[in-house]
Amino acid sequence: MLTIQKPLVHGLENPLGLDVSSPRFSWLLESDRRGAACAAYRVRVSLSAEGLDCSDADLVWDSGRRIGQSLSLLYDGPPLQSNTRYWWRVTVWDPQGKESESAPAYWDTGLFPGDWSAEWIWRSEEIKLNDFAYFRKSFDLRGAVARAKIFVSAHHVFQLFVNGQRVGGYGSPAPTEVPHRKYYLAYDVAPLLSSGANCIGIAAHYLGGSGQNYVNGVPGLLLQLHVEHEDGTEKLIVSDLTWQALRQIPHRIGSPYQQNRRLSAIEDYGAALLEPNWLQPDFGEEYCSSVVLAHPSAQQWSLHWQQLPEAEELESIIPSVAAEPSFVNGEEGLIQVFDAGKIISGWPRLALPGKAGVTVRLRYAETLDGSGRVVHQVCNETSHHYYDLYTMHGRGGIEYWQPDFSFKAFRYVEVTGYPQPIEEGQLRICSAGTVMARTGHFRCSSDFLNKLYDVCLQTQRNNVLGQVVDCPHREQAQYLADTDLQAETLLYNFDAHPVLDKTLQDFADGQLEDGSFPFVFPSNYEHPDFFIQIPEWDLHYATLLWKLYQYSGDTELLSRYYEPLRAMIEGYLSLISPATGLIPVGRGWHISDWPYPTVEHEGEYLTVQQIKAWQALRILSQAAALLNRADDSAAYAAYAQKLQVSVLNELYDGSGKLLHDSSGSTATHQGVNALALYAGLLPQKDREGALKAVAGKPWESKTVLSLPLLRLLFEEGLQDQAYHLLSKPDYPGWGYMIAQGAETMWEGWDDIESHCHAWNGYPARLLQEYVCGIQSGAPGFATARIRPFFAPDLDFAEASVSTVRGTIAVRWERIGETVILLRLELPCTMSATAALALPSSRPITGLLIDGVEIWGGSASSCLPDGIARCGLDASMLELELLSGRYELTVRY
């Protein structure tokens, strides 16, 4: 019998503010029977959970029974009402007609355009850099509260309190491009409200320094509270001129930026300046002033509910003492340095006995200097301001504080100003970031590879901070190429669809008139410091979109981002030289590989740019076909063919069977040609020779081009070579970082610059995909391919990957010298091909499934349940499997 798991709306569990007109329902199926299938399904929607069990008259929408194995369905019922809870349930039938129902689930709609009564407010009309404001609103409620929902936003971030209790996460809302898109959050606050006097308090922070990872906009706060009483009456509380702002606040306004790129302000916090009862309803009005309406431009911002989860504290670390406390004369006094053990993104938390007027300085760094103190740097860039300040109120007892309005990234924190030794537990390190459920797994018999995998995932965790960022300290910026590389590990190990979708949306919002993109976004692109473009990075928009589509199988993605993709491609097509048929260098900062690349860039035409443009054209053609745009599909396929011919005519060395790095170079870089081979651009007749040449070169690819190199080697029968590059502990490579004791991945192979760069985290995915062999065979994992590499130095390896159809799990282990035991688990509605290599040096002599031999040189005529086929295909022994659990015994 089928059971239904994980009912989601728009990929989210019981979302609280979904403001789309046609939400998408999805679910998973489970069964103990191999090959179990769904024959039909039905979705019902009601205004109550009870209504799902009643007559059709109580239903908002009934999809009716639909034939097929689909695990998702778009709502196409009557228009949805705003700020309303809808309940839904899915029913499925197996081929024998047995029915299964899900538990009731719900989603809340947000506010649609025209539903906002609130106005954007701020504490004054003056726009100041690094401005903080503390707002409050007292109000009375008459009667018990049945339902209450707050919708709230601020520019740039807020912290919300209801009757003194903190509500929500950190770093909210996530950065976007205003005026086209501003996120708001939705919170169910009914349990926090009561009949009688109530109070909402908000602390908000506006950056405004034309920094690299946000859009300036103007300062503002927006809030709308809808209350429904049990007697049916309603009350609306909105931000307007009746709100108050505290005259005196603890945060110093206009404090210096911590980084050269103006990402965050020093939090200079004077605890004595904040009245302790400011969050109480009866707080004195003499401490407050009237608010003003925010700048008129804010009132025009397009508001959208933030589907991206908020940031939360993910781990609390008690740091070790990095060095014995020391004392120096002057203001610093006692110097205490603590070690989190790894680079984290987040903040420290103090819990110290208060001493009136004492100012504690918390300074951050990745590394220490020769004297054991933290360096005055943010990553590799000099900064004397990478610190926060807390001045104690001294009213008695323990004082708690954490500088959590922004993310810092550090391993070491240096505490000065506090006059006595800090005891264990009085300082904690809070690792924080956007919430993404952990969904993937890898373990093997090598502690070294396990460490490599764990370090990749820690690095990735550090680099999702309301957007996918390159590094959590120096830039915290969203690059297309970085996100494209990070998508590898994100998709296989986290519930990452919302954060990757946000990258595509952000760059669509920031797209320039000529179809190109800013080099990072969101950003203050018009500022001279960030008026930069990286043309090769633009082309990663196509590959990132295609990866997300291949993983999800969601054609809505292609529809939503088709026009930005097409506009970007059209911009490149407009630049093509009539003489050569190639795209010239043009403006911008060109990067074929990174960091410290050895690809030559001489001449007017760069080969990597042509290859990526060719890939993008093919992706656009395929997307057009899937969206029933036949004319577009044919046109872009023709453009791709022309570009391929031009590349081979102008940049290809026919005798050496390799592409030159550029039109002015005779070099034939390993990474350039690995990319061309993996993409399929080189002539088929020359492929074998080109592969041999690429594989025979010393490893010269860096982070960007090593991904296609390793994929090429793994998929073209050179697994031993690929595995060696992936796992070797000597320079260059990822293993070298692990051998040096790295707890997060560096920016490149060298121990310089950033020591926490997530684009180097894709080895985690490669271990799951190639050592354990979990690969997709069709969009949305409609089929899978299980092709493990039985690495000779491993006794076992296991991995699991969560897909839109459920979890795939693989484990292989050696039994003595001549047997490998392989366990597979395939979710419902998924079939798979298990491919086992037949090396001539050590051929397979027998294959058993569940203890029954099905192959011993020829296939058995009687195959166990769930096995559709067993046979030879070139150098592979292949099995076609239906969903279910299998145990394979492979004899050599």
Side-chain angles (χ1 to χ4, degrees):
M1 183 175 178
L2 296 173
T3 58
I4 303 169
Q5 304 292 334
K6 205 173 179 181
L8 303 176
V9 182
H10 241 61
L12 304 169
E13 182 179 0
N14 299 335
L16 292 178
L18 196 62
D19 53 5
V20 297
S21 58
S22 295
R24 175 171 47 84
F25 307 105
S26 64
W27 55 91
L28 299 180
L29 299 178
E30 291 183 357
S31 174
D32 291 331
R33 187 171 59 84
R34 287 178 181 172
C38 168
Y41 56 94
R42 175 190 184 189
V43 170
R44 286 168 291 174
V45 176
S46 176
L47 289 173
S48 67
E50 297 76 18
L52 295 171
D53 296 318
C54 299
S55 66
D56 290 347
D58 295 308
L59 295 177
V60 173
W61 180 64
D62 187 342
S63 71
R65 180 169 171 149
R66 304 197 180 191
I67 304 301
Q69 290 205 62
S70 178
L71 297 177
S72 66
L73 181 65
L74 273 176
Y75 175 84
D76 63 357
L80 300 172
Q81 302 300 307
S82 65
N83 187 31
T84 302
R85 174 158 295 180
Y86 289 92
W87 291 83
W88 72 284
R89 169 182 281 160
V90 59
T91 305
V92 299
W93 291 267
D94 68 13
Q96 290 72 43
K98 291 182 180 178
E99 178 181 305
S100 303
E101 280 191 333
S102 69
Y106 66 84
W107 85 99
D108 288 0
T109 52
L111 297 182
F112 301 144
D115 289 330
W116 285 94
S117 301
E119 297 179 289
W120 285 94
I121 60 173
W122 196 244
R123 62 177 187 80
S124 74
E125 293 180 351
E126 185 178 2
I127 297 177
K128 298 180 179 180
L129 303 186
N130 278 332
D131 200 359
F132 289 87
Y134 282 59
F135 300 98
R136 63 184 312 280
K137 174 70 175 179
S138 293
F139 57 94
D140 289 332
L141 295 177
R142 299 303 176 201
V145 175
R147 183 171 181 265
K149 179 70 70 66
I150 281 181
F151 303 95
V152 58
S153 185
H155 203 67
H156 288 94
V157 292
F158 67 83
Q159 294 183 355
L160 171 67
F161 303 86
V162 176
N163 286 331
Q165 184 165 327
R166 178 91 151 78
V167 177
Y170 298 92
S172 298
T176 53
E177 197 275 340
V178 293
H180 296 103
R181 188 174 307 275
K182 180 64 189 179
Y183 286 154
Y184 67 89
L185 286 299
Y187 303 107
D188 185 347
V189 295
L192 304 180
L193 299 175
S194 59
S195 180
N198 294 268
C199 180
I200 295 172
I202 296 182
H205 175 40
Y206 171 71
L207 280 157
S210 297
Q212 184 174 352
N213 68 345
Y214 57 89
V215 174
N216 272 353
V218 295
L221 167 73
L222 183 77
L223 183 142
Q224 190 156 312
L225 167 62
H226 292 256
V227 179
E228 297 176 14
H229 293 288
E230 289 184 354
D231 63 5
T233 60
E234 298 183 1
K235 184 162 184 130
L236 182 65
I237 308 294
V238 301
S239 55
D240 57 19
L241 295 179
T242 66
W243 280 54
Q244 298 173 321
L246 297 191
R247 296 181 188 276
Q248 182 173 271
I249 65 173
H251 277 96
R252 178 160 73 92
I253 294 170
S255 59
Y257 291 97
Q258 291 183 323
Q259 309 99 325
N260 298 333
R261 301 170 197 255
R262 305 179 295 282
L263 310 181
S264 60
I266 291 174
E267 287 197 45
D268 187 347
Y269 189 97
L273 299 175
L274 183 64
E275 291 292 330
N277 61 340
W278 79 281
L279 294 172
Q280 301 306 311
D282 58 353
F283 183 68
E285 293 192 5
E286 66 271 19
Y287 298 107
C288 302
S289 61
S290 299
V291 301
V292 300
L293 294 182
H295 189 276
S297 61
Q299 315 297 341
Q300 307 303 315
W301 291 347
S302 179
L303 295 165
H304 301 265
W305 178 66
Q306 180 175 311
Q307 296 186 33
L308 182 78
E310 292 185 85
E312 291 182 1
E313 293 182 3
L314 305 173
E315 182 182 5
S316 179
I317 300 167
I318 297 179
S320 61
V321 176
E324 288 302 314
S326 58
F327 185 85
V328 296
N329 292 324
E331 293 182 2
E332 289 186 318
L334 192 63
I335 301 168
Q336 304 181 70
V337 181
F338 298 90
D339 180 4
K342 59 188 176 184
I343 297 171
I344 62 96
S345 59
W347 43 79
R349 175 187 294 149
L350 296 174
L352 295 172
K355 298 181 182 297
V358 165
T359 297
V360 181
R361 185 189 301 265
L362 302 163
R363 187 183 289 277
Y364 318 108
E366 279 190 322
T367 54
L368 302 178
D369 64 17
S371 64
R373 299 190 64 176
V374 299
V375 296
H376 285 211
Q377 292 180 191
V378 178
C379 185
N380 62 306
E381 296 182 351
T382 299
S383 172
H384 299 294
H385 295 128
Y386 205 35
Y387 64 82
D388 293 300
L389 298 169
Y390 175 70
T391 301
M392 296 181 147
H393 56 69
R395 300 185 185 113
I398 302 298
E399 297 192 29
Y400 300 91
W401 186 70
Q402 59 186 39
D404 53 13
F405 264 101
S406 63
F407 299 98
K408 307 91 174 58
F410 58 94
R411 174 171 176 170
Y412 301 97
V413 57
E414 177 183 283
V415 183
T416 56
Y418 195 69
Q420 62 191 51
I422 294 174
E423 299 176 2
E424 184 176 301
Q426 292 181 335
L427 172 70
R428 287 179 176 265
I429 306 299
C430 302
S431 175
T434 298
V435 175
M436 300 180 297
R438 173 77 179 274
T439 58
H441 167 79
F442 173 83
R443 275 295 175 266
C444 68
S445 58
S446 166
D447 291 339
F448 189 81
L449 288 182
N450 292 338
K451 182 69 172 179
L452 173 63
Y453 174 81
D454 291 343
V455 168
C456 288
L457 264 62
Q458 176 64 46
T459 313
Q460 191 59 77
R461 273 284 192 200
N462 287 354
N463 282 279
V464 181
L465 306 173
Q467 54 191 342
V468 182
V469 302
D470 64 324
C471 59
H473 30 47
R474 185 181 68 205
E475 299 175 72
Q476 289 187 19
Q478 189 167 241
Y479 291 81
L480 277 168
D482 291 67
T483 305
D484 193 14
L485 291 171
Q486 291 181 59
E488 301 285 325
T489 286
L490 279 170
L491 287 170
Y492 260 47
N493 290 281
F494 298 98
D495 182 7
H497 193 287
V499 299
L500 297 173
D501 185 278
K502 181 181 185 294
T503 300
L504 293 167
Q505 184 64 68
D506 284 342
F507 278 92
D509 289 342
Q511 191 166 31
L512 305 174
E513 289 187 5
D514 64 358
S516 63
F517 298 109
F519 83 121
V520 298
F521 207 78
S523 183
N524 288 286
Y525 176 70
E526 69 282 356
H527 192 281
D529 289 357
F530 309 121
F531 194 72
I532 303 170
Q533 289 186 284
I534 310 177
E536 286 88 349
W537 267 210
D538 286 6
L539 294 159
H540 284 265
Y541 194 87
T543 46
L544 174 60
L545 173 58
W546 199 244
K547 281 177 188 175
L548 196 51
Y549 163 68
Q550 287 289 326
Y551 185 84
S552 66
D554 183 9
T555 55
E556 289 179 70
L557 273 170
L558 301 180
S559 178
R560 191 155 64 249
Y561 300 119
Y562 181 85
E563 283 305 319
L565 175 60
R566 188 197 60 77
M568 184 266 289
I569 293 298
E570 287 290 344
Y572 277 97
L573 292 176
S574 70
L575 302 175
I576 286 179
S577 164
T580 62
L582 299 177
I583 301 165
V585 170
R587 69 178 186 274
W589 177 27
H590 287 270
I591 306 178
S592 294
D593 199 7
W594 195 259
Y596 308 115
T598 54
V599 178
E600 294 185 2
H601 277 186
E602 286 74 13
E604 275 295 301
Y605 308 102
L606 306 183
T607 303
V608 166
Q609 187 176 16
Q610 316 306 318
I611 299 169
K612 290 182 177 179
W614 179 73
Q615 286 181 300
L617 281 164
R618 297 179 71 205
I619 287 169
L620 182 57
S621 174
Q622 293 174 76
L626 289 165
L627 297 174
N628 299 314
R629 299 172 179 242
D631 291 344
D632 278 8
S633 180
Y636 291 118
Y639 281 126
Q641 185 175 11
K642 289 179 182 178
L643 182 57
Q644 182 179 17
V645 170
S646 297
V647 169
L648 296 176
N649 285 341
E650 301 292 333
L651 300 170
Y652 189 55
D653 179 354
S655 58
K657 314 301 183 188
L658 295 174
L659 289 166
H660 295 301
D661 289 9
S662 61
S663 58
S665 169
T666 58
T668 54
H669 193 278
Q670 177 192 47
V672 173
N673 285 280
L675 177 64
L677 279 164
Y678 182 68
L681 183 142
L682 296 187
Q684 187 62 36
K685 62 182 178 63
D686 295 344
R687 187 173 179 83
E688 185 176 348
L691 176 62
K692 184 177 180 181
V694 166
K697 286 177 174 283
W699 190 8
E700 58 182 336
S701 301
K702 308 299 182 180
T703 295
V704 176
L705 292 183
S706 284
L707 177 59
L709 171 65
L710 286 177
R711 286 195 175 282
L712 176 73
L713 297 175
F714 269 121
E715 295 182 12
E716 293 293 335
L718 299 171
Q719 295 97 325
D720 288 292
Q721 185 174 346
Y723 179 75
H724 171 71
L725 296 181
L726 188 64
S727 61
K728 70 186 187 74
D730 55 319
Y731 183 89
W734 303 276
Y736 174 74
M737 305 180 205
I738 304 304
Q740 302 310 301
E743 297 290 337
T744 47
M745 304 305 287
W746 304 341
E747 186 169 355
W749 311 139
D750 299 288
D751 187 7
I752 56 176
E753 299 193 339
S754 169
H755 293 89
C756 187
H757 236 73
W759 72 350
N760 252 326
Y762 57 75
R765 160 78 172 262
L766 300 181
L767 291 171
Q768 296 165 296
E769 192 170 12
Y770 293 115
V771 174
C772 290
I774 300 176
Q775 303 169 20
S776 177
F781 278 87
T783 63
R785 184 170 174 83
I786 309 300
R787 186 185 174 186
F789 170 61
F790 304 131
D793 63 337
L794 297 181
D795 295 325
F796 81 90
E798 64 181 23
S800 61
V801 174
S802 180
T803 77
V804 294
R805 296 174 183 274
T807 298
I808 306 174
V810 173
R811 176 185 168 92
W812 62 262
E813 60 183 292
R814 298 186 188 279
I815 309 296
E817 294 293 321
T818 60
V819 174
I820 287 180
L821 188 65
L822 177 62
R823 293 187 176 93
L824 311 177
E825 183 175 344
L826 304 172
C828 275
T829 75
M830 182 189 293
S831 61
T833 299
L836 306 174
L838 287 169
S840 57
S841 60
R842 197 165 181 241
I844 296 175
T845 58
L847 174 64
L848 292 79
I849 294 185
D850 303 331
V852 177
E853 185 160 14
I854 67 165
W855 192 86
S858 61
S860 169
S861 58
C862 183
L863 296 176
D865 183 43
I867 312 296
R869 184 182 72 87
C870 175
L872 296 175
D873 184 2
S875 61
M876 292 285 174
L877 177 60
E878 291 192 344
L879 295 93
E880 300 295 334
L881 308 174
L882 302 180
S883 63
R885 296 180 178 88
Y886 298 87
E887 183 173 282
L888 284 66
T889 304
V890 186
R891 290 200 303 255
Y892 289 93

